[in-house]
Amino acid sequence: YIWNNDKLTSVQGLNSLEYIGSDFLVFYNDALTDFIGLDSLITIHRELAVVDNAVSSLKGLGSLENVEYLTITDSYNLLSLTGLENITRLSRLKLQLNVNLGNLEGLKNLEHVDNFVQIIEN
């Protein structure tokens, strides 16, 4: 978890991280604007959840290929999903209340969703 860190501006330092064996939950980080520093991350075994952060970009997640659930909600500064282009399959996709999200272009290579897709109030 990266949770409720008011002054965290960067995830630099996690540059060698390639695998997360469970969930990667990024919630309530008021100064975190991107994911630069996670450039080596290839697999998140369960869920990537980005909720209520200052994130304007998903830059830094460009190596991510394997994740089961993708949830991005209440990320009011998020403009695009650029950085998620290597994801081709999900079990669940939920995008909600990302009011400045202009397009879904970052998911252009997504071929298969096993369960459901929710895209609500973006």
Side-chain angles (χ1 to χ4, degrees):
Y1 300 83
I2 299 177
W3 194 292
N4 203 25
N5 298 285
D6 293 337
K7 300 201 186 301
L8 183 69
T9 60
S10 170
V11 292
Q12 290 284 352
L14 298 175
N15 303 65
S16 296
L17 184 64
E18 296 178 358
Y19 177 85
I20 296 174
S22 187
D23 299 319
F24 185 43
L25 309 176
V26 184
F27 283 45
Y28 314 119
N29 299 287
D30 294 338
L32 186 63
T33 59
D34 60 45
F35 291 96
I36 295 171
L38 291 172
D39 307 282
S40 297
L41 185 61
I42 298 168
T43 298
I44 298 170
H45 184 68
R46 291 205 23 110
E47 181 172 17
L48 170 59
V50 178
V51 177
D52 199 5
N53 296 282
V55 172
S56 61
S57 166
L58 299 176
K59 288 180 184 173
L61 294 174
S63 295
L64 185 63
E65 297 175 8
N66 306 304
V67 61
E68 198 168 335
Y69 308 124
L70 178 62
T71 301
I72 303 174
T73 65
D74 301 289
S75 295
Y76 302 110
N77 296 329
L78 187 63
L79 303 174
S80 78
L81 300 177
T82 300
L84 301 178
E85 290 85 0
N86 285 328
I87 297 173
T88 59
R89 183 179 192 130
L90 293 167
S91 287
R92 181 182 72 210
L93 172 63
K94 180 178 181 179
L95 303 172
Q96 184 173 356
L97 293 170
N98 305 297
V99 297
N100 288 305
L101 184 62
N103 64 68
L104 304 177
E105 187 66 23
L107 295 174
K108 65 184 175 187
N109 294 316
L110 182 63
E111 298 172 354
H112 190 96
V113 178
D114 295 327
N115 290 310
F116 66 81
V117 174
Q118 289 182 328
I119 301 175
I120 304 167
E121 295 185 54
N122 293 287

